[in-house]
Amino acid sequence: MGSDEAYNFVFKVVLIGESGVGKSNLLSRFTKNEFNHDSRTTIGVEFSTRTIQLKSLIIKAQIWDTAGLERYRAITSAYYRGAVGALLVYDITKHLTYESVERWLKELYDHADPHIVVMLVGNKTDLGSERSVPTEEAKDFAEKNGLLFLETSALESTNVETAFQNVLGEIHRKVSSKEVTRGSISAVSLASPVPRVAGDPEEKKPCCRNL
Amino acid sequence: MRYWITVFPAEFNLDMGLIRLTEEFRDVAAQLGCEEHYKLIDISTIPSYDWMRKLTQRKKQAKKGKASLLFDHLEPMELAEHLTFLEYKSIRRISFTDYQSYVMHGCLVDNPTLERSIALFNGVSQWVQLMVLSKLTPQHRAEVITKYINVAQKLLQLQNFNTLMAMVGGLSHSSISRLKETHSHLAPEVNKIWNEMTELVSSNGNYCAYRKAFTDSEGFKVPILGVHLKDLIAVHVVFPDWVNDDKVNIIKMQQLYLTFNELVSLQSAAAQVEPNMDLIYLLTLSLDLYYTEDEIYELSLLREPRNPNGPIFTPSFPTPQPTSPTTPNKPMAPLDWASGVTAKPDPNVVNKHIRKVVDSVFRNYDHDHDGYISQEDFESIAANFPFLDSFCVLDKDQDGLISKDEMMAYFLRANPLLQCKMGPGFIHNFTEMTYLKPTFCEHCAGFLWGIIKQGYKCKDCGVNCHKQCRELLVLACRKLPRSTSLQSVSPGGLTHSSLPSSPTIVSTNMVLVSVFHSCHTHKSITLITCSAQRISVGLQRATTSQATQTEHLWSEHTWGAGDGGSHTFPKMKYRPHRQASMSKGFARWENEAQKEPRGRRGSQEQTDRPAEVVQNGIIPHREKVIAAEVCVLSV
């Protein structure tokens, strides 16, 4: 994983959605300059972090991609733990991927923090001619469910940057405005001696079910 | 090229595209007259690798001792070995082309072997959760968890990381991890092992702990397939295929090679386990039980309610099987999540498994070999299948013993039920119905009692049943091509319209079954009468409202178009046929020679033929026989 530079926050963001909607493409587009491809198998292909500047703060985004694992229930549910943001991606040309959005949302709220910032992302706007999910419909859905919304094209790099920036900005807003009670969303500030990832999976965190 | 063919013959046998390409190439070589080259790229002689994709590669059954099949008695090592055997069997069937297809499509397209492997993985996770949750007290649950943690440890010893991941995933699932009380009963050293396990397979640092362990381990090992699939996808997405437009991207190929090599080398590794097939069958069946995550979570809430200070919901079930798949009064939500995950084997395979398990169970528990299992023995078996129904449900004839047939019947009944949640084709579209005619439940063959809203009818296939039997119905919903002509046809045209909702006609053996059924269970209806004619009246009433499908085997005879529900049940019994069928004002239609293919037959196709046939006074030979038998029965 990436750089040792100083940062103020680490946010864990998960990418979810049906397989084949282009989650990995979005991610690689966002982090394109920051992935490792060490041939040592102990590291594997890792391209999930990127540090961005948000106003005066440096935020390290750690983005978890479920690509290839969607079907492994035991693995994926572990992904959600500790996530403070999520990009729920569907393919604007495949209506089925949009229909499953609700299921993913439910899954997300089941396993992740209730205050998680979620953005609905309609990917593949480059294939506008084959569009089967109207922008307005998705937008309405997002509004009703309190989600952010954007349409992107990983291929043409449209809105990719904005999507991640918005999510991270919103997370930061929530964290700093103390809208959320302490501990509900955990972010690691520079002050802590050993920077930990927000929401370390090992931590026993309250989940939305309010145990 | 020759090297390629000799070293990776499987690819040349399994990948159609490659075969075609090679053959084209060979043809070109032949045209150019290069005899030697032609020989070199001949792939017609390479052995067939189709078996790799085929299902079981059978092993000789090991000499089986009287091993205990009880979950409680199974040693962790034994369980771990057998799980590994299953895992290995499933994973080695996945060929290079399956992996390739997965990465290229980014999802499962036409990839049954990989799908099966994933289903096994998820099956293990759920099985673990269910076994824990099947215990009523925190202590017992803690014991089961401890046992699984021990199994996980053994899996690590066997270097089966995939099943280990599935098991850890199951145990750390929120339905288990929320059980605070249960966890307080875990011994500290168990907790320590548990933490090591979770650490090992945690996704931190891109699974660095696991990757290290995996690289360090030698010999037989099973990787966490998901992690490597993720790698493949990542490499595929990040690196372009070509650099500078004309050069193959070597870095990408190198990366892909590394991962593929690991995965493919698995197939040549040898499993060290000598399996006890009885146990394998048992596990296979255990792992096939499918619940939704919601159901599991609800069970978890039931075991340890959210707010321990609040009123604790005490389960109203006397038995420890509150969510038994066949408990009628516990309707289950249809599976909506894993819509695409229909990685269930076809019913025949399941039935085969069940048969094997039942055989195994009897081999091991029928101590006096009389073909029956006593209640006492049953209780011990039930521990393996936490949600098995209670003894008396299985013991249908209530003689205090379960026969092989009874057990078979039970599993066969329970299993399609679970499957029905998997296949979209199975789910019925039930709506509450008020029947104007006496109607019988398709599931239990019981009468649908009451004056209004007696039962439920599937809008798609027309099957009827009790409210509580809805979830139990094992019949697949076969949507019927329903013509709407009757409704739309003008009164004058009625005589020659087709029969959209006419009584169904089925093959003879179905009729027979159904007749016996009715006779058995509804003496009140059928046994009052003593002539074949009247019996058939009863049958007709029972089934006309099925309105399912027509399968006209007999052409060119006319019958009454039913009596439009104007008759009440008691009247009908005494009403002579002719009169019933001639009810004034109702259309008659002619059964034109519209023979539908006979292929479609499921038991939901209800039977009316004898009734109709008798009614028309034309009793074909075979029908006579049935009618006669009915007669005999009723006398």
Side-chain angles (χ1 to χ4, degrees):
Chain A
M1 269 192 296
S3 36
D4 295 325
E5 80 261 46
Y7 45 84
N8 303 83
F9 291 103
V10 182
F11 291 147
K12 173 175 169 181
V13 175
V14 288
L15 271 170
I16 54 173
E18 294 292 279
S19 40
V21 295
K23 295 187 293 293
S24 305
N25 290 301
L26 274 178
L27 179 53
S28 81
R29 187 57 85 174
F30 180 64
T31 60
K32 56 182 177 282
N33 300 317
E34 290 192 40
F35 65 84
N36 294 325
H37 51 94
D38 199 304
S39 56
R40 281 173 299 161
T41 43
T42 49
I43 293 171
V45 182
E46 174 74 65
F47 57 106
S48 65
T49 55
R50 179 169 155 192
T51 314
I52 62 159
Q53 178 103 24
L54 208 79
K55 291 172 200 151
S56 61
L57 296 165
I58 297 163
I59 288 172
K60 184 161 166 176
Q62 200 182 55
I63 300 148
W64 299 48
D65 180 16
T66 59
L69 297 173
E70 290 94 349
R71 308 262 177 149
Y72 289 90
R73 318 291 307 137
I75 302 183
T76 29
S77 57
Y79 263 103
Y80 303 120
R81 237 161 287 162
V84 291
L87 273 81
L88 173 42
V89 190
Y90 68 92
D91 179 345
I92 63 155
T93 67
K94 293 199 183 83
H95 204 269
L96 268 179
T97 64
Y98 174 70
E99 285 162 30
S100 62
V101 158
E102 243 169 304
R103 290 202 315 255
W104 281 105
L105 263 187
K106 183 176 164 297
E107 168 90 350
L108 185 66
Y109 288 129
D110 273 358
H111 291 98
D113 190 286
H115 299 286
I116 187 167
V117 175
V118 185
M119 175 180 271
L120 184 63
V121 178
N123 193 28
K124 305 200 186 174
T125 49
D126 47 290
L127 300 174
S129 57
E130 297 165 40
R131 176 190 285 276
S132 70
V133 184
T135 312
E136 284 308 311
E137 189 186 335
K139 205 172 178 175
D140 285 351
F141 177 84
E143 262 169 35
K144 277 192 196 111
N145 290 276
L147 317 175
L148 305 173
F149 175 73
L150 254 187
E151 284 189 345
T152 61
S153 164
L155 193 78
E156 291 169 351
S157 210
T158 321
N159 271 346
V160 177
E161 197 74 16
T162 326
F164 282 96
Q165 296 262 12
N166 287 359
V167 168
L168 294 170
E170 179 65 15
I171 296 169
H172 175 249
R173 197 188 60 76
K174 273 200 175 184
V175 172
S176 53
S177 70
K178 297 194 177 141
E179 185 182 298
V180 229
T181 47
R182 238 183 83 82
S184 172
I185 282 191
S186 56
V188 180
S189 75
L190 195 59
S192 46
V194 185
R196 277 182 311 119
V197 174
D200 187 324
E202 291 306 312
E203 283 179 40
K204 297 283 173 271
K205 288 204 164 297
C207 93
C208 59
R209 301 233 192 213
N210 290 327
L211 306 177
Chain B
M1 186 99 181
R2 184 69 216 160
Y3 171 79
W4 194 14
I5 294 173
T6 42
V7 178
F8 300 104
E11 267 73 82
F12 282 87
N13 190 248
L14 294 176
D15 187 342
M16 283 316 288
L18 192 57
I19 292 173
R20 216 170 29 245
L21 208 65
T22 318
E23 278 169 354
E24 273 169 25
F25 188 45
R26 189 193 58 197
D27 292 345
V28 172
Q31 277 166 18
L32 296 175
C34 310
E35 277 291 313
E36 273 182 33
H37 291 114
Y38 178 84
K39 271 184 210 148
L40 280 178
I41 51 179
D42 182 22
I43 55 167
S44 57
T45 51
I46 55 174
S48 171
Y49 285 80
D50 264 349
W51 61 269
M52 279 232 254
R53 320 192 69 160
K54 293 267 159 57
L55 287 174
T56 326
Q57 179 213 9
R58 296 200 189 286
K59 282 210 164 196
K60 280 255 166 61
Q61 187 165 341
K63 182 184 75 72
K64 47 149 187 56
K66 276 279 154 91
S68 171
L69 292 183
L70 295 190
F71 176 76
D72 294 338
H73 296 176
L74 287 171
E75 289 299 315
M77 195 58 190
E78 206 175 353
L79 267 175
E81 278 178 349
H82 286 84
L83 285 171
T84 305
F85 177 80
L86 282 176
E87 185 72 61
Y88 172 67
K89 215 171 69 168
S90 135
I91 225 166
R92 66 171 290 167
R93 286 190 203 121
I94 308 171
S95 70
F96 170 78
T97 43
D98 292 329
Y99 291 124
Q100 191 195 22
S101 142
Y102 184 70
V103 174
M104 300 303 278
H105 292 106
C107 54
L108 291 167
V109 180
D110 216 9
N111 205 338
T113 49
L114 189 52
E115 214 166 285
R116 183 69 198 136
S117 159
I118 294 175
L120 178 67
F121 182 95
N122 291 333
V124 170
S125 309
Q126 293 197 323
W127 173 61
V128 168
Q129 294 170 44
L130 282 170
M131 288 303 277
V132 173
L133 292 172
S134 71
K135 301 290 177 188
L136 288 172
T137 65
Q139 286 87 347
H140 282 126
R141 287 194 288 273
E143 276 166 28
V144 179
I145 293 181
T146 308
K147 176 149 192 169
Y148 276 120
I149 291 173
N150 289 332
V151 174
Q153 215 177 0
K154 300 296 176 193
L155 286 170
L156 181 58
Q157 263 177 39
L158 295 172
Q159 311 193 54
N160 176 358
F161 294 96
N162 205 37
T163 316
L164 175 67
M165 178 85 211
M167 203 160 271
V168 171
L171 286 176
S172 57
H173 193 274
S174 50
S175 66
I176 302 296
S177 60
R178 63 173 288 284
L179 302 171
K180 294 227 168 61
E181 210 183 322
T182 302
H183 281 92
S184 67
H185 288 278
L186 287 177
E189 64 269 19
V190 175
N191 265 323
K192 191 170 156 275
I193 301 172
W194 169 239
N195 288 335
E196 284 169 16
M197 294 288 168
T198 43
E199 194 88 6
L200 180 68
V201 294
S202 91
S203 46
N204 273 356
N206 200 15
Y207 297 96
C208 63
Y210 154 69
R211 285 173 200 275
K212 188 158 188 314
F214 185 73
T215 348
D216 290 349
S217 53
E218 281 167 10
F220 179 79
K221 52 184 175 178
V222 184
I224 303 177
L225 209 51
V227 173
H228 296 265
L229 289 177
K230 183 168 139 16
D231 281 358
L232 286 177
I233 288 184
V235 173
H236 183 64
V237 167
V238 169
F239 299 99
D241 283 339
W242 304 91
V243 278
N244 304 330
D245 292 333
D246 56 346
K247 295 190 191 77
V248 174
N249 187 342
I250 297 292
I251 301 170
K252 174 170 185 170
M253 295 308 138
Q254 175 78 10
Q255 285 281 342
L256 287 176
Y257 163 76
L258 282 171
T259 320
F260 275 132
N261 197 31
E262 264 171 14
L263 294 178
V264 173
S265 66
L266 252 177
Q267 287 166 352
S268 53
Q272 318 127 316
V273 187
E274 191 63 30
N276 168 357
M277 289 321 273
D278 289 343
L279 182 49
I280 290 291
Y281 300 145
L282 190 86
L283 280 175
T284 313
L285 190 66
S286 306
L287 299 179
D288 263 342
L289 294 177
Y290 199 99
Y291 289 77
T292 65
E293 292 193 15
D294 287 345
E295 286 159 13
I296 295 176
Y297 197 87
E298 268 169 34
L299 187 59
S300 166
L301 285 176
L302 194 69
R303 290 287 179 258
E304 287 185 25
R306 230 167 243 163
N307 181 7
N309 302 325
I312 291 172
F313 170 59
T314 38
S316 55
F317 314 96
T319 50
Q321 292 95 23
T323 58
S324 154
T326 48
T327 306
N329 52 4
K330 179 95 182 172
M332 289 189 286
L335 176 71
D336 62 342
W337 172 260
S339 53
V341 197
T342 49
K344 302 301 280 185
D346 68 284
N348 290 337
V349 175
V350 173
N351 291 356
K352 209 173 69 196
H353 281 314
I354 292 171
R355 196 155 297 127
K356 282 180 187 162
V357 163
V358 172
D359 283 347
S360 299
V361 166
F362 273 81
R363 242 197 324 272
N364 286 279
Y365 292 107
D366 180 16
H367 296 302
D368 44 6
H369 298 280
D370 61 352
Y372 292 96
I373 286 183
S374 67
Q375 179 148 17
E376 193 183 328
D377 290 334
F378 174 78
E379 299 304 332
S380 51
I381 306 167
N384 282 43
F385 296 97
F387 302 105
L388 203 65
D389 268 315
S390 58
F391 184 79
C392 38
V393 175
L394 267 85
D395 183 21
K396 274 217 156 159
D397 54 9
Q398 317 217 319
D399 57 357
L401 293 168
I402 295 176
S403 72
K404 217 171 195 170
D405 289 341
E406 277 169 345
M407 185 172 281
M408 279 287 290
Y410 173 77
F411 276 118
L412 289 173
R413 200 160 61 90
N415 217 283
L417 169 75
L418 299 165
Q419 280 199 319
C420 80
K421 303 158 80 196
M422 303 299 300
F426 205 104
I427 298 158
H428 291 278
N429 183 9
F430 282 118
T431 46
E432 206 166 23
M433 269 293 278
T434 297
Y435 297 94
L436 299 171
K437 300 173 219 172
T439 305
F440 294 88
C441 169
E442 190 70 43
H443 175 70
C444 69
F447 185 64
L448 297 174
W449 293 103
I451 299 162
I452 54 158
K453 295 182 180 170
Q454 299 99 326
Y456 281 73
K457 183 185 203 76
C458 174
K459 278 198 205 159
D460 295 329
C461 71
V463 71
N464 304 301
C465 64
H466 288 116
K467 186 180 182 183
Q468 68 272 20
C469 294
R470 269 181 308 168
E471 296 296 326
L472 305 176
L473 201 61
V474 294
L475 303 170
C477 177
R478 309 224 177 111
K479 293 207 168 77
L480 301 165
R482 310 179 108 197
S483 81
T484 50
S485 50
L486 188 63
Q487 288 90 331
S488 59
V489 156
S490 65
L494 270 175
T495 36
H496 289 286
S497 67
S498 59
L499 317 178
S501 53
S502 75
T504 317
I505 297 174
V506 222
S507 64
T508 324
N509 56 348
M510 274 313 304
V511 171
L512 204 60
V513 168
S514 182
V515 167
F516 283 142
H517 227 88
S518 312
C519 288
H520 241 354
T521 44
H522 302 288
K523 297 179 178 126
S524 57
I525 297 154
T526 48
L527 295 190
I528 306 170
T529 59
C530 57
S531 78
Q533 242 192 352
R534 286 204 191 151
I535 287 169
S536 57
V537 175
L539 279 169
Q540 188 209 0
R541 301 305 145 189
T543 48
T544 34
S545 54
Q546 293 279 333
T548 45
Q549 115 180 49
T550 51
E551 191 176 277
H552 304 293
L553 301 169
W554 319 102
S555 53
E556 331 241 299
H557 58 255
T558 317
W559 62 62
D563 26 31
S566 58
H567 304 300
T568 51
F569 178 46
K571 273 192 218 158
M572 172 203 96
K573 272 196 294 191
Y574 304 104
R575 192 182 283 259
H577 271 114
R578 290 287 170 191
Q579 197 182 328
S581 60
M582 305 269 261
S583 310
K584 55 201 174 290
F586 285 94
R588 300 162 65 92
W589 64 74
E590 206 158 303
N591 182 11
E592 289 153 334
Q594 14 161 291
K595 297 187 186 179
E596 286 187 39
R598 261 184 126 157
R600 276 182 307 167
R601 78 174 50 127
S603 24
Q604 96 265 32
E605 303 168 7
Q606 256 295 354
T607 156
D608 260 71
R609 205 165 38 159
E612 301 305 343
V613 172
V614 171
Q615 202 173 335
N616 286 284
I618 307 161
I619 306 182
H621 177 64
R622 284 199 300 182
E623 302 309 326
K624 270 184 195 153
V625 177
I626 297 163
E629 281 183 70
V630 173
C631 232
V632 170
L633 258 175
S634 59
V635 172

